[in-house]
Amino acid sequence: FQDIIKKNNIAIEDVIVHAPYIINLAQKDDEKRQFAIDFITKEVKRTSAIGAKYLVIHPGATLDLSIDEGLEVIANSLKEIIANTKDTDVFLTLETMAGKGTEACFTFDQLQSIIKKVNHNRIKVCLDTCHIFDSGYDLVNNYDAVIKEFDKVIGINQLKVIHVNDSKNPSGSRKDRHENIGYGEIGFETLLKICEDERFKDIPKILETPYIKNDNEQYPPYKFEIEMLRKRKFNDHLYDDVIAYYRFK
């Protein structure tokens, strides 16, 4: 891994590890919760082994617990993971969620509640644009107010990763369905604003947008979406360009 990133001039500070989505730290069942704790513990150790510093985690779904009970269980789970990995300096980076089903941490207050309960400097935050938009933070019409609220409740100093994704659904839908840059409800201008915000200039930004489908093939759009953002110009032929590039490559 170290040889590959050096060869490709990738800074280790820009390498972010993402834990599997299905791991749930909010489990009421002790055996299932312990499985999640043990799994994330191993993920932290693997992240440390390659030299990366940030492991992004979906906090969990509360299922039949209340939201307050779920947040307490998540916080206790994180405390155990930190205790299990004292010999590492990997940050447990909690992702802002959309709030679908019984998903926890779809508000800044819920995330801050966990941060306060755990009370450890290894807890940080990952902001997902699709998730916060779907959860009800209207970045399109209230961009400055949303960022100001995040800073007030959590603190921009706690933000270490940004997932830059458009959304297929309107703000407040709590659906969590990502869309390609500029092709969703958030739109190109707002996502460009996030990418160019001086407050976030040193924070790694990652695309989690859908592959472009054509017949039985699927193609990654990232090269073209990044180019769009760098040129500061929306590409309304993204699908055609992606398909043509990979089909005739």
Side-chain angles (χ1 to χ4, degrees):
F1 176 84
Q2 292 292 340
D3 289 344
I4 290 169
I5 64 170
K6 286 176 184 175
K7 182 179 178 181
N8 291 278
N9 198 29
I10 298 171
I12 190 65
E13 294 80 14
D14 293 335
V15 175
I16 310 297
V17 180
H18 201 308
Y21 302 136
I22 59 171
I23 299 301
N24 185 8
L25 295 175
Q27 295 278 6
K28 182 179 181 180
D29 182 280
D30 288 339
E31 186 176 344
K32 291 179 179 177
R33 187 174 78 93
Q34 192 59 52
F35 173 83
I37 291 169
D38 292 344
F39 192 98
I40 296 297
T41 295
K42 291 175 184 176
E43 289 284 271
V44 171
K45 290 178 179 179
R46 282 189 279 262
T47 301
S48 178
I50 65 171
K53 299 296 183 187
Y54 298 100
L55 174 66
V56 174
I57 303 169
H58 286 191
T62 59
L63 303 176
D64 55 349
L65 295 173
S66 70
I67 189 66
D68 288 338
E69 290 171 330
L71 295 176
E72 189 73 32
V73 173
I74 293 169
N76 289 336
S77 298
L78 292 167
K79 287 178 184 177
E80 289 190 45
I81 294 165
I82 289 171
N84 293 342
T85 57
K86 287 180 179 177
D87 58 340
T88 80
D89 55 359
V90 173
F91 294 99
L92 306 177
T93 312
L94 306 180
E95 186 167 342
T96 57
M97 303 307 296
K100 68 180 187 295
T102 62
E103 214 170 46
C105 296
F106 59 90
T107 71
F108 300 155
D109 287 316
Q110 289 173 15
L111 273 169
Q112 179 55 27
S113 172
I114 291 176
I115 293 169
K116 187 175 181 181
K117 289 176 190 295
V118 179
N119 190 29
H120 198 285
N121 64 3
R122 283 177 58 199
I123 300 295
K124 301 299 178 185
V125 174
C126 166
L127 185 149
D128 186 300
T129 57
C130 171
H131 291 177
I132 67 169
F133 184 77
D134 280 20
S135 73
Y137 294 99
D138 189 350
L139 286 165
V140 178
N141 296 303
N142 303 300
Y143 178 83
D144 290 329
V146 170
I147 303 305
K148 184 177 181 181
E149 183 175 352
F150 181 93
D151 191 31
K152 179 181 178 182
V153 175
I154 296 175
I156 287 177
N157 62 314
Q158 296 286 78
L159 179 60
K160 298 301 176 182
V161 187
I162 297 176
H163 290 166
V164 181
N165 307 304
D166 214 324
S167 172
K168 291 182 182 292
N169 297 102
S171 186
S173 62
R174 290 174 64 171
K175 294 285 189 181
D176 186 10
R177 295 189 65 213
H178 298 194
E179 182 57 283
N180 294 103
I181 301 299
Y183 284 79
E185 296 292 325
I186 300 177
F188 180 73
E189 293 301 325
T190 300
L191 295 171
L192 180 64
K193 195 181 293 185
I194 281 270
C195 291
E196 294 191 337
D197 195 314
E198 277 295 307
R199 293 168 290 187
F200 309 141
K201 65 184 177 69
D202 296 322
I203 297 175
K205 300 166 186 72
I206 299 170
L207 297 170
E208 296 177 322
T209 51
Y211 271 33
I212 304 298
K213 297 178 181 179
N214 182 57
D215 297 327
N216 295 321
E217 301 291 333
Q218 297 188 69
Y219 305 115
Y222 312 122
K223 167 186 170 68
F224 294 87
E225 291 179 312
I226 291 169
E227 184 178 24
M228 235 197 287
L229 292 165
R230 283 180 172 163
K231 290 183 176 179
R232 308 178 73 204
K233 184 178 180 182
F234 176 63
N235 178 3
D236 58 2
H237 299 102
L238 175 69
Y239 298 161
D240 292 338
D241 288 351
V242 170
I243 292 168
Y245 176 79
Y246 286 102
R247 178 177 284 179
F248 301 112
K249 187 176 180 181

